[in-house]
Amino acid sequence: MQTDSIVQCPNYFCQALNPESQRFCHNCQTRIPKRYLWAVGSTHSPGELIDDRFLIKSAQIALDTKPGIPPMAIEVPPSLEPYLHLMAERPTISQPFAVVKDVLFLESAPIYPSDARSERGEDLSGRLMPRLVQVWAASSGFRQLHFLRQLAHLWRVLSVEKVASTLLDSELIFADSDTVRILELNFDSLAAQTVRDPISLAGLGKFWSSWQAQPALADFFNQVCQNLIDGQITNADELLDVLDSAITAQSSQQTRQIQIATLTDQGPSRQSNEDACYPPSGTSGDHSLLIVCDGIGGHEGGEVASNLAIETIVNQIRSLDPDQLEPELEVAVCAANDAIAQKNDAERRQERQRMGTTVVMGIVRSHEFYLTHVGDSRAYRITRQGCYQVTLDDDVASREARLGYTLYREALQHPSAGSLVQALGMGSSSYLRPTVQRFIFDEECVFLLCSDGLSDNDRVEEHWQSEIVPILNGKTNVATVARKLVEIANTQNGHDNVTIGLIHCQTRETGQSNPVRSMLAKPTQLIAPAPPSQLRTEIQPRRTSWFKIALILLGLFGAAGAIAALFVPELIPRLINRLPTVAEPSVVPPVPASPEPLTTGSLIQLDRPELPLFRKPDQPSDQVRELVGQVPPGTVLKVEKRQQTTAGQPAWIRLKVCTIAADTKLQNSVKAGNIGWQQESSIVPFTKANLKPDQLGACTPPKQNAPSTP
């Protein structure tokens, strides 16, 4: 039995062993992620190692000691499907990471991350957060309302998956400061045999009624509970409307100060900047709107699409109805989509020539923050306790997991995992599904919006504590941090443009405690909006507009030929390392054909960001691979030999460096004439190099001596 907490370096070419306390590998300086997992069904004792990988730290909390290795692939059982369908609710809902020996390991569980500390400086790493009932009584009235609203939203989405009974078990509901977190899901069919109260809103009201609300909230809270029990509130949407009204009324208990900063940069390896942001790059201040776009389609398309999207959205938002913000944000995004699509059509751009853009934008309205998103530009929420990705990439990996086909970590291993399934400008708005989320400002936090020039390779997860938390501690400001994050993206990623948008919200209690007036005097006058969508591909966490539903239904019942015509355009490759395909969100794309094999004597030009070359092929994984150097993009290589070392494994290719891109800035770059090995699967994609003899550099064949004349 292994009792020491030893974590293997995630770098495939290193894999050195490090103590759990080590943040960076002692051998190669790679960041060592500490992945704490909740082990459902585990009866193992602390110190036991499951499957030579998962170390039980304490009751049902495990440490992944091999964070760089994908978990074993499994066939998804029905019991895991609700988790996957609720993937858009992470980090609130824990997500399946692996199933080993009848133990389900959940990630994003309410467990404190590495280096988390209490206000007294106590190390909280790897411990469970407090249950909601433990912090409820000490929470302000505003926060209690905020908790209730989150629970009401969860009741709606969990009811669809028949796991709403989770919210009737106080042992499963946790609090991450101002945010509700769920430990694991309870199936209604099983819970019905054990819970005292019915699995209904009446049962929820009875469950809540045992909690003690703040004095200013008490009468209102008790009335809500009684109306739930009596059946006067008949669905979760009515409950949400009532709680929203109370939150708005109580928002005067807090003051809020907003500071934003934007910055965009071309990056070291691109010839132009296809990213765009609003307000313009370099802005800082108290603006209420922030937009980040990452263009698709090259110099003559991507930058046009991203700027056109921002121009259209800003014009649309100027006339927004503040009482209908969520559906109108969808309309604004769809208008941007139509503007780009019409320009594509007017310029007769087809398939991969079509331009497009991703978008992630945030708008502040009083105590609320609305986040809208299409594509793989991301938004993160950072507090002193943790960093959480709050958008879900619109890519193949996320879609396959959300549909319940596979676990997310397994989906990431697919060659087309990062290919987008939707972006602005690629087709009709009838098939575009923007995600709109609403957050309540209840705690000091920072929202980071960024393009994948920063988010790739987990740079945000690596640097949030050192670079962003100091904003919350008053040691720096958003403008300074924006510059630092761009520098990190350029030096540690460097393969793409990078755009940063930061929103810092400071909240303070005013000390006022006005009683919450009754919102339920005439419950029969409450209007119930439409029930939540049952579609597995729906990831919007709040109400869907009727206008949007009508468009979707019209599209679904259209002629098959007309529908097919809408899907002719395909997304241009998002990044050098991504496959050039896009699929409509409800259609699983075909598996791409195997790339053309590399043949001896071929000249190829590297199309991916960078590639390491090694002195020997197929070294054992427990040995450190000897590196020749990094091959920068644009380098021309000659295939000298093909070697199959292990049956069923990718072949190893011996490569000679012919010429190197003149603008490379890699410090450990290979030199012309260097020879090294790499797996064939790692070299893809590549371009065949058609060079003249005088352009072959180190691969120029030696001149033959002229034959002597007899």
Side-chain angles (χ1 to χ4, degrees), residues 218-287:
D219 289 345
F220 168 79
F221 176 68
N222 292 335
Q223 188 177 6
V224 169
C225 293
Q226 193 60 48
N227 277 269
L228 286 169
I229 294 170
D230 294 343
Q232 292 180 342
I233 298 178
T234 60
N235 60 60
D237 289 296
E238 287 184 4
L239 180 58
L240 282 166
D241 285 339
V242 169
L243 294 172
D244 281 341
S245 298
I247 288 173
T248 299
Q250 287 296 99
S251 63
S252 60
Q253 287 189 4
Q254 289 185 337
T255 60
R256 286 159 292 276
Q257 184 177 355
I258 304 295
Q259 288 292 315
I260 75 146
T262 60
L263 196 60
T264 185
D265 190 81
Q266 177 176 312
S269 62
R270 291 300 178 95
Q271 301 303 311
S272 63
N273 192 354
E274 298 175 59
D275 287 5
C277 60
Y278 181 88
S281 179
T283 300
S284 60
D286 58 355
H287 299 260

Side-chain angles (χ1 to χ4, degrees), residues 142 145-146 149 240-254 256 323 365-368 370 438 440 516 519 542:
F142 185 82
L145 286 171
H146 187 196
R149 192 201 181 280
L240 282 166
D241 285 339
V242 169
L243 294 172
D244 281 341
S245 298
I247 288 173
T248 299
Q250 287 296 99
S251 63
S252 60
Q253 287 189 4
Q254 289 185 337
R256 286 159 292 276
D323 294 327
R365 190 189 73 167
S366 182
H367 60 285
E368 301 170 324
Y370 289 84
R438 190 181 77 155
I440 304 294
V516 180
M519 307 290 170
R542 203 168 182 249

Side-chain angles (χ1 to χ4, degrees), residues 333-339 341 427-434 548 551-552:
V333 170
C334 288
N337 177 78
D338 291 339
S428 168
S429 288
S430 300
Y431 296 93
L432 189 70
R433 294 191 175 185
K548 192 68 175 179
L551 287 177
I552 293 173

Side-chain angles (χ1 to χ4, degrees), residues 541-585:
R542 203 168 182 249
R543 279 159 265 189
T544 305
S545 68
W546 285 108
F547 171 75
K548 192 68 175 179
I549 292 175
L551 287 177
I552 293 173
L553 290 176
L554 286 173
L556 291 176
F557 287 102
I563 294 175
L566 293 173
F567 292 101
V568 171
E570 294 185 328
L571 281 178
I572 301 170
R574 286 293 299 110
L575 290 172
I576 296 174
N577 195 29
R578 294 188 183 173
L579 294 183
T581 60
V582 67
E584 197 278 324

Side-chain angles (χ1 to χ4, degrees), residues 389-466:
Q389 181 183 334
V390 292
T391 54
L392 186 64
D393 293 348
D394 288 324
D395 60 14
V396 170
S398 297
R399 187 194 59 191
E400 297 299 288
R402 196 172 67 248
L403 292 174
Y405 297 154
T406 181
L407 301 189
Y408 180 63
R409 296 289 177 173
E410 180 182 340
L412 287 176
Q413 307 309 309
H414 194 278
S416 63
S419 298
L420 294 180
V421 297
Q422 66 171 359
L424 301 188
M426 296 303 165
S428 168
S429 288
S430 300
Y431 296 93
L432 189 70
R433 294 191 175 185
T435 302
V436 182
Q437 301 178 72
R438 190 181 77 155
F439 297 86
I440 304 294
F441 285 135
D442 185 17
E443 179 190 25
E444 185 175 5
C445 65
V446 173
F447 280 92
L448 164 65
L449 281 59
C450 64
S451 62
D452 53 9
L454 174 67
S455 61
D456 279 353
N457 302 313
D458 297 333
R459 297 305 179 199
V460 177
E461 290 82 354
E462 181 176 343
H463 293 285
W464 70 273
Q465 283 179 314
S466 61

Side-chain angles (χ1 to χ4, degrees), residues 304-315:
V304 174
S306 58
N307 283 284
L308 180 56
I310 287 178
E311 178 185 351
T312 306
I313 290 171
V314 170
N315 288 335

Side-chain angles (χ1 to χ4, degrees), residues 341-375:
Q342 289 167 11
K343 190 170 183 63
N344 276 327
D345 295 339
E347 296 177 2
R348 303 194 178 199
R349 293 173 178 260
Q350 298 297 325
E351 298 182 354
R352 299 178 185 177
Q353 294 179 343
R354 291 180 74 88
M355 59 184 172
T357 185
T358 69
V359 63
V360 58
M361 67 175 180
I363 184 168
V364 178
R365 190 189 73 167
S366 182
H367 60 285
E368 301 170 324
F369 179 64
Y370 289 84
L371 189 64
T372 309
H373 158 258
V374 174

Side-chain angles (χ1 to χ4, degrees), residues 424-686:
L424 301 188
M426 296 303 165
S428 168
S429 288
S430 300
Y431 296 93
L432 189 70
R433 294 191 175 185
T435 302
V436 182
Q437 301 178 72
R438 190 181 77 155
F439 297 86
I440 304 294
F441 285 135
D442 185 17
E443 179 190 25
E444 185 175 5
C445 65
V446 173
F447 280 92
L448 164 65
L449 281 59
C450 64
S451 62
D452 53 9
L454 174 67
S455 61
D456 279 353
N457 302 313
D458 297 333
R459 297 305 179 199
V460 177
E461 290 82 354
E462 181 176 343
H463 293 285
W464 70 273
Q465 283 179 314
S466 61
E467 305 301 334
I468 301 178
V469 169
I471 297 175
L472 302 173
N473 295 331
K475 297 180 179 179
T476 186
N477 57 62
V478 287
T480 300
V481 172
R483 291 192 294 271
K484 180 62 176 177
L485 292 176
V486 166
E487 179 185 345
I488 288 171
N490 285 339
T491 56
Q492 298 185 27
N493 284 341
H495 58 276
D496 202 357
N497 313 136
V498 57
T499 301
I500 305 294
L502 289 166
I503 299 178
H504 176 206
C505 176
Q506 294 175 282
T507 61
R508 289 184 175 86
E509 297 286 340
T510 62
Q512 299 177 357
S513 183
N514 299 322
V516 180
R517 296 181 179 273
S518 172
M519 307 290 170
L520 299 170
K522 297 179 180 180
T524 57
Q525 294 182 359
L526 291 171
I527 299 175
S533 171
Q534 303 282 333
L535 295 175
R536 297 306 190 197
T537 54
E538 179 60 50
I539 61 176
Q540 182 173 328
R542 203 168 182 249
R543 279 159 265 189
T544 305
S545 68
W546 285 108
F547 171 75
K548 192 68 175 179
I549 292 175
L551 287 177
I552 293 173
L553 290 176
L554 286 173
L556 291 176
F557 287 102
I563 294 175
L566 293 173
F567 292 101
V568 171
E570 294 185 328
L571 281 178
I572 301 170
R574 286 293 299 110
L575 290 172
I576 296 174
N577 195 29
R578 294 188 183 173
L579 294 183
T581 60
V582 67
E584 197 278 324
S586 61
V587 179
V588 179
V591 177
S594 299
E596 180 182 354
L598 296 163
T599 56
T600 303
S602 298
L603 293 174
I604 63 173
Q605 191 167 26
L606 185 66
D607 285 357
R608 50 160 293 166
E610 60 186 54
L611 181 76
L613 282 189
F614 303 100
R615 298 200 182 279
K616 299 179 181 179
D618 199 30
Q619 250 180 301
S621 59
D622 60 349
Q623 296 182 14
V624 178
R625 297 181 182 276
E626 191 175 354
L627 188 68
V628 175
Q630 297 284 349
V631 181
T635 298
V636 176
L637 303 161
K638 181 179 180 181
V639 178
E640 292 205 326
K641 185 177 180 181
R642 180 187 179 90
Q643 180 173 318
Q644 190 78 42
T645 56
T646 306
Q649 297 298 317
W652 282 82
I653 307 297
R654 189 169 75 179
L655 300 164
K656 183 175 182 178
V657 180
C658 302
T659 61
I660 302 174
D663 59 349
T664 181
K665 297 181 180 180
L666 289 177
Q667 294 182 350
N668 57 343
S669 172
V670 294
K671 297 179 175 58
N674 284 165
I675 296 175
W677 294 83
Q678 183 52 267
Q679 282 188 309
E680 183 174 36
S681 58
S682 298
I683 302 171
V684 176
F686 62 86

